[in-house]
Amino acid sequence: MEAIKPLAKATARTGADAGLGGFGALFDLKAAGFLDPILVSTTDGVGTKLKIAIETGRHDTIGIDLVAMCVNDLIVQGAEPLLFLDYFASGKLNVEMARQVVAGIAEGCMQAGCALVGGETAEMPGMYAGGDYDLAGFAVGAAERGRLLPRDVAAGDIILGLAASGVHSNGYSLVRKIVAQEKLVWDRPAPFDSARTLGDVLLTPTRIYVKALLPAIKEGAVKALAHITGGGLVENIPRVLPNDLGVRLDAQSWPVLPVFTWLSRAGNIDANEMARTFNCGVGMIVVAAPEQAATAEKIIVQAGEKVFRIGAVEKTVSGARVILENMDKVWPC
């Protein structure tokens, strides 16, 4: 507790003082500037990406992934992340390892603008072997009643794709299987990037898009957002569309990260399965009206994100909700 108190304190924001040690945490929505707020809550983990952190002994970034998986799900509803709690469980508590994990969580909270207000550290002998541990995160955000997303998505709307930092936090059971199959080790250069170790590349934290998207939402330039997590492009985009609408995307309209080309080749994964499993280089989808797309793009780019115009919304005809064109020209399998 003493080791992580300074980390939590560094995430303090208006409405929360980020103090630890009580039985619960308070948040003052009025102090945070909300008039008629709707609360939005999310929970998530980081999956088997944890195994790579454990096997490499690198615990300082996995907490960023944990926060990202929760707060990116808040922002797609138009909600500003306010507070975050974590759950850390291990067989035997290693204080320094836990401090590194929480340092990553605090960094993620600062990137998202939310306060780390508490959590649970559980020591469970017999439940976890060796240096294994598990993580879960819980986030609460708020949106003014009139700014909730999605809203008014229509045929002809423009689809913007925000660049991913890497594989993010989904598909790692398959990633680890391919690494084992290729007999690769974490501390050697990646087969697709000789300047970085494989472990470094695969532990690249999930991108947190909150601070780039909030101004575009407040400007009224965004109709819908989709966080590309498990299920990839194919299954996540339809979650924010009316039932009679789908999207047509051009797979050549954004750069493919080398890690995905390698995964496709080494795992003999065809293009359709890649799009159903991974983010394929697009971590967040933005839906904007044609007359607002340039405004949304400008705001997001000014915040430091890479943005690509990758397609449009259309009426569904064949039943397919996500049509990916030119996939055979991009993916090797």
Side-chain angles (χ1 to χ4, degrees), residues 49 64-65 68-69 72 111 165 168-169 204-208 227:
K49 187 173 185 176
I64 301 175
D65 289 288
M69 296 304 288
N72 283 342
Q111 289 183 23
S165 56
H168 284 187
S169 297
T204 301
T206 304
R207 192 86 178 149
I208 293 176
H227 184 200

Side-chain angles (χ1 to χ4, degrees), residues 128-282:
Y128 299 93
D132 287 351
Y133 62 89
D134 199 8
L135 284 176
F138 311 87
V140 176
E144 295 292 0
R145 195 175 297 272
R147 286 185 177 154
L148 288 168
L149 300 178
R151 58 178 177 82
D152 305 325
V153 177
D157 286 343
I158 303 300
I159 304 295
L160 305 176
L162 276 58
S165 56
V167 184
H168 284 187
S169 297
N170 295 101
Y172 272 83
S173 293
L174 179 55
V175 170
R176 290 170 53 249
K177 183 176 181 179
I178 293 170
V179 169
Q181 168 191 293
E182 296 292 296
K183 296 181 172 58
L184 301 174
V185 292
W186 304 122
D187 61 355
R188 297 300 301 261
F192 48 87
D193 185 350
S194 61
R196 303 173 66 194
T197 68
L198 182 61
D200 284 342
V201 174
L202 293 178
L203 284 175
T204 301
T206 304
R207 192 86 178 149
I208 293 176
Y209 300 103
V210 170
K211 289 185 177 179
L213 291 172
L214 273 174
I217 294 170
K218 291 178 179 178
E219 184 67 24
V222 174
K223 285 189 170 188
L225 300 166
H227 184 200
I228 307 305
T229 56
L233 294 163
V234 174
E235 295 182 5
N236 283 290
I237 299 175
R239 295 169 67 181
V240 300
L241 301 177
N243 290 333
D244 62 336
L245 297 180
V247 298
R248 185 178 297 271
L249 308 179
D250 182 356
Q252 290 185 300
S253 61
W254 73 88
V256 177
L257 299 174
V259 63
F260 293 115
T261 303
W262 171 73
L263 285 168
S264 178
R265 286 196 177 115
N268 194 32
I269 308 169
D270 67 31
N272 290 329
E273 192 61 25
M274 287 293 297
R276 192 178 296 277
T277 305
F278 299 109
N279 66 57
C280 296
V282 176

Side-chain angles (χ1 to χ4, degrees), residues 56-141:
T56 59
R58 287 271 310 276
H59 308 287
D60 57 334
T61 62
I62 202 72
I64 301 175
D65 289 288
L66 183 67
V67 175
M69 296 304 288
C70 295
V71 298
N72 283 342
D73 281 356
L74 286 180
I75 195 67
V76 301
Q77 313 237 54
E80 176 184 350
L82 302 177
L83 57 90
F84 189 88
L85 299 97
D86 69 280
Y87 174 80
F88 177 95
S90 62
K92 181 174 175 56
L93 182 63
N94 179 318
V95 172
E96 176 54 27
M97 181 179 72
R99 191 202 65 79
Q100 291 177 34
V101 171
V102 176
I105 294 171
E107 171 61 27
C109 287
M110 287 187 282
Q111 289 183 23
C114 64
L116 176 59
V117 297
E120 169 69 4
T121 302
E123 195 171 38
M124 303 165 68
M127 194 72 163
Y128 299 93
D132 287 351
Y133 62 89
D134 199 8
L135 284 176
F138 311 87
V140 176

